[in-house]
Amino acid sequence: MRNMEIKKALRLYFVMGTPNSGSQDPLAIVEAALRGGITCFQLREKGSNALEGDALLGFAKKCQALCRLYRVPFIINDDVDLALAINADGVHVGQDDEQADSVRQRIGPDKWLGVSTHNAQEVQLAQSIGADYVGLGPIYPTSTKLDASAVVGTTLVKEIHTAFPDMPIVAIGGITLATTGSIIQAGADGVAVVSAIASAKDPQYAANDLSKTIHSLLE
Ligand code: 3NM
């Protein structure tokens, strides 16, 4: 039941922080993405000019309120204290962030825990410490995450989906409308994107296009 709910939420997973918003109002982008049909939102406040302290707390609360309005899960990247302070729906961590098993202990059994992974061994470890889903990437080259590891392609999605059929999988890294279909066909439950929505001329339109493509393949 929880697995099915998570797999559905992963379908169109929008990841963003204020540094990804260019000259646009970041909150307006989040709302446009929600109107366009994203199924999950992750606040990933990283990079130069990232918000901190009260400014971050305030922005996170505004994002959370919008997500609640649209009944979309609100996940915090790599900041367990913030996730606990505002009672977010979950936490996402990478391999270099706080150890996933200690994160699970701190957030308890109910909040979702996502872990970024790059191979079967990392997925196995994530599963053993009770991750609710794994991120796989970067599928394609991306300029959004400067320290992204080597490109894995859709081959890894197929391999992980076959080896861990119950584990919810979201693919990330350089994904566009044009490549979304092949990623879903490879066995991902959904795609996670930053720039395909945040840098689009019309984020609502971009999200809606992605949403229609994904739902037509998964219904
Ligand atoms: N994580 P875009 S790639 C946040 O490989 C993130 O784990 C990645 O941004 C990973 O959709 C990435 O603009 C950036 O390529 C994704």
Side-chain angles (χ1 to χ4, degrees):
M1 187 62 199
R2 175 167 165 135
N3 244 26
M4 286 312 294
E5 192 191 343
I6 291 173
K7 285 186 175 200
K8 273 197 147 178
L10 295 181
R11 285 183 172 190
L12 179 52
Y13 192 159
F14 182 39
V15 178
M16 201 199 87
T18 59
N20 305 121
S21 60
S23 58
Q24 303 197 61
D25 170 16
L27 213 57
I29 298 179
V30 174
E31 180 152 31
L34 287 162
R35 273 201 306 270
I38 61 165
T39 52
C40 194
F41 176 67
Q42 179 189 122
L43 175 57
R44 180 175 177 275
E45 189 68 16
K46 292 211 167 167
S48 54
N49 300 322
L51 300 176
E52 291 173 14
D54 284 350
L56 174 57
L57 184 66
F59 182 66
K61 281 183 177 166
K62 285 181 187 161
C63 292
Q64 182 179 36
L66 278 176
C67 288
R68 283 199 176 140
L69 210 59
Y70 287 83
R71 298 179 200 286
V72 162
F74 175 66
I75 311 294
I76 299 274
N77 183 295
D78 186 25
D79 191 336
V80 179
D81 292 333
L82 178 61
L84 290 173
I86 65 173
N87 194 23
D89 299 306
V91 174
H92 185 98
V93 290
Q95 294 291 320
D96 303 330
D97 301 332
E98 186 173 340
Q99 288 294 311
D101 53 351
S102 109
V103 175
R104 171 55 87 202
Q105 282 183 8
R106 289 180 64 201
I107 65 176
D110 294 338
K111 288 191 194 306
W112 293 1
L113 173 60
V115 181
S116 295
T117 59
H118 313 91
N119 54 54
Q121 201 184 348
E122 289 174 0
V123 176
Q124 178 71 59
L125 190 64
Q127 188 175 52
S128 71
I129 55 92
D132 290 296
Y133 73 87
V134 292
L136 283 184
I139 306 295
Y140 303 113
T142 175
S143 47
T144 305
K145 184 171 157 59
L146 297 176
D147 60 347
S149 45
V151 166
V152 294
T154 53
T155 321
L156 185 69
V157 176
K158 272 197 196 107
E159 182 194 322
I160 299 299
H161 176 60
T162 307
F164 304 86
D166 294 329
M167 175 59 89
I169 297 170
V170 67
I172 188 164
I175 299 172
T176 62
L177 181 63
T179 51
T180 289
S182 56
I183 293 166
I184 300 296
Q185 269 148 7
D189 296 292
V191 298
V193 300
V194 180
S195 48
I197 293 177
S199 304
K201 229 191 259 162
D202 184 335
Q204 179 178 341
Y205 190 88
N208 197 239
D209 258 357
L210 286 161
S211 167
K212 283 188 286 196
T213 300
I214 296 163
H215 286 92
S216 70
L217 290 166
L218 288 174
E219 239 123 43

